[in-house]
Amino acid sequence: MLLLYLFLLLLPHTAFSSHCTTQTNTKTFQKCMNLPTQQASIAWTFHPYNSTLELAFFGTFISPSGWVGCGINPTSPEMTGTRALIAFPDPNSGQIVLLPYILDPTVKLQKSPLLSRPLDLHLLSSTATMYGGKLATVHNGAAIQIYASIKLKPNKTKIHLVWNRGLYVQGYSPTIHPTTSSDLSSIATFDVLSGSSASQHRDLTGLRVIHGTLNAISWGLLLPMGAISARYLRHIQALGTTWFYAHAGIQLFAFTLGTAGFALGIRLGQLSPGVEYGLHRKLGIAVFCLGALQTLALFFRPNARNKFRKYWKSYHHFVGYSCVVLGFVNVFQGFQVMGASRSYAKLCYCLGLSTLIGICIALEVNSWVVFCRKSKEEKLRREGLIGVSDKGSSAIHH
């Protein structure tokens, strides 16, 4: 199941982009490069004598009412600060329009619509063309070419290219793009003179797979298994203290794997500048902290006769169940940010989780049956309906 999970989790991030091209209907470029996400590519010609860059971006729409854009960030490889050209169907005429936008920090907060305004770059010219000419229509998968001629600063040949696409445009204001791992990684740094890419934009798919797998197994499966062992095995007298060692062992192993997964998540954040998963990160930190508190609680467990034992048990139960619930939520949040919301990997995890839930229901029903039976026997014993013959025989013997 683990090998299948690894393989299927990898599928959503496999690249199927076509080869880049230096030829268009109207122009021939010197160099081209496939971009790592969204099946996009670029072609360009750089003129060193006047620092002019002619750039063609090739992308695709994901919605008939969507948008496609690309731009340059003058300072860093991230969305904030990008000077972008965004193409979309004009809401009045239906023809493709290309407008300039500056993505300042307020764009992430989404407090106000994104409004077009002139770029502070030396933009010489720009156009957007649909494949198929004027008769082409915007649809899911429709290809578009965005051309721009830009005068760069002298002796500056390294640029940070940012691109993306969205589902809707409100008037002339593009709305937020999807927030999958692929969409948030649509950034590339390269040298327009040599064509070499910067090393920081490496393929992080393998690390993401390991991070997701470790966390799904540890926080999403092993941790609840440890809770199940403590809740239902401790009442089986034949096991003695075995239930405690099983519970502690499973929880410690889950926390060890979870710590490795958490550390990988921190490292992925460092290797992905400009890529942020706010809710997923906060939940991950909360789950890790709760797991650490649970582990520490094992070493500070009071003696059974200690007056503080009941408070420790309440704390242990509350923190433990909180960690399990948040772990479930964050695993599903992880599937969402990795773009695997409808993947077989998520199906495999749901099957494993459903199995655990089914086991819990069966054990819970059995516990209540045993509890009710013992309560009934105790009531009959108090009323003298059980053990009467034994008392009578002892009285006759006396």
Side-chain angles (χ1 to χ4, degrees), residues 293-312:
L293 287 174
Q294 279 293 81
T295 304
L296 290 174
L298 176 66
F299 299 103
F300 295 99
R301 187 168 63 114
N303 186 280
R305 297 178 181 179
N306 192 300
K307 63 179 181 178
F308 294 106
R309 179 61 177 252
K310 61 179 180 180
Y311 302 111
W312 179 90

Side-chain angles (χ1 to χ4, degrees), residues 221-270:
L221 292 176
L222 288 178
L223 204 68
M225 286 174 60
I228 291 172
S229 64
R231 179 172 177 80
Y232 300 109
L233 299 185
R234 65 186 302 171
H235 301 295
I236 303 177
Q237 296 180 355
L239 294 177
T241 58
T242 304
W243 71 267
F244 172 77
Y245 295 108
H247 169 66
I250 294 173
Q251 300 298 68
L252 286 175
F253 182 56
F255 181 70
T256 302
L257 287 183
T259 301
F262 178 76
L264 272 178
I266 298 297
R267 182 57 179 162
L268 281 169
Q270 296 173 346

Side-chain angles (χ1 to χ4, degrees), residues 282-324:
K282 292 174 184 176
L283 287 174
I285 293 174
V287 171
F288 176 77
C289 292
L290 291 174
L293 287 174
Q294 279 293 81
T295 304
L296 290 174
L298 176 66
F299 299 103
F300 295 99
R301 187 168 63 114
N303 186 280
R305 297 178 181 179
N306 192 300
K307 63 179 181 178
F308 294 106
R309 179 61 177 252
K310 61 179 180 180
Y311 302 111
W312 179 90
K313 289 179 66 176
S314 298
Y315 150 82
H316 189 62
H317 290 165
F318 175 77
V319 174
Y321 288 123
S322 298
C323 189
V324 169

Side-chain angles (χ1 to χ4, degrees), residues 114-361:
L114 178 61
L115 301 178
S116 176
R117 51 176 165 158
L119 303 181
D120 51 7
L121 296 177
H122 195 169
L123 181 65
L124 301 176
S125 63
S126 62
T127 58
T129 308
M130 291 283 296
Y131 285 94
K134 294 182 178 180
L135 298 179
T137 58
V138 177
H139 59 273
N140 185 5
I144 188 171
Q145 172 192 321
I146 297 176
Y147 169 81
S149 178
I150 306 168
K151 190 173 181 62
L152 302 179
K153 293 181 179 179
N155 301 320
K156 181 176 176 61
T157 60
K158 186 176 76 171
I159 65 172
H160 306 296
L161 184 73
V162 181
W163 66 98
N164 226 306
R165 54 192 182 180
L167 292 169
Y168 304 104
V169 177
Q170 295 179 346
Y172 291 91
S173 299
T175 60
I176 187 171
H177 57 74
T179 56
T180 65
S181 173
S182 173
D183 295 295
L184 293 176
S185 302
S186 298
I187 302 169
T189 299
F190 66 99
D191 191 289
V192 296
L193 187 59
S194 65
S196 60
S197 299
S199 60
Q200 69 261 28
H201 297 288
R202 66 196 75 175
D203 186 4
L204 302 177
T205 300
L207 287 180
R208 291 192 182 101
V209 170
I210 298 173
H211 165 73
T213 302
L214 288 177
N215 287 333
I217 292 176
S218 57
W219 307 115
L221 292 176
L222 288 178
L223 204 68
M225 286 174 60
I228 291 172
S229 64
R231 179 172 177 80
Y232 300 109
L233 299 185
R234 65 186 302 171
H235 301 295
I236 303 177
Q237 296 180 355
L239 294 177
T241 58
T242 304
W243 71 267
F244 172 77
Y245 295 108
H247 169 66
I250 294 173
Q251 300 298 68
L252 286 175
F253 182 56
F255 181 70
T256 302
L257 287 183
T259 301
F262 178 76
L264 272 178
I266 298 297
R267 182 57 179 162
L268 281 169
Q270 296 173 346
L271 295 175
S272 308
V275 179
E276 295 183 5
Y277 307 110
L279 179 60
H280 185 58
R281 175 183 295 180
K282 292 174 184 176
L283 287 174
I285 293 174
V287 171
F288 176 77
C289 292
L290 291 174
L293 287 174
Q294 279 293 81
T295 304
L296 290 174
L298 176 66
F299 299 103
F300 295 99
R301 187 168 63 114
N303 186 280
R305 297 178 181 179
N306 192 300
K307 63 179 181 178
F308 294 106
R309 179 61 177 252
K310 61 179 180 180
Y311 302 111
W312 179 90
K313 289 179 66 176
S314 298
Y315 150 82
H316 189 62
H317 290 165
F318 175 77
V319 174
Y321 288 123
S322 298
C323 189
V324 169
V325 172
L326 290 181
F328 288 152
V329 174
N330 207 30
V331 168
F332 284 104
Q333 182 68 18
F335 281 119
Q336 181 177 343
V337 300
M338 292 190 73
S341 296
R342 297 184 179 182
S343 67
Y344 287 108
K346 184 177 180 181
L347 176 62
C348 290
Y349 175 73
C350 289
L351 289 175
L353 184 59
S354 300
T355 302
L356 286 180
I357 294 174
I359 292 173
C360 285
I361 293 174

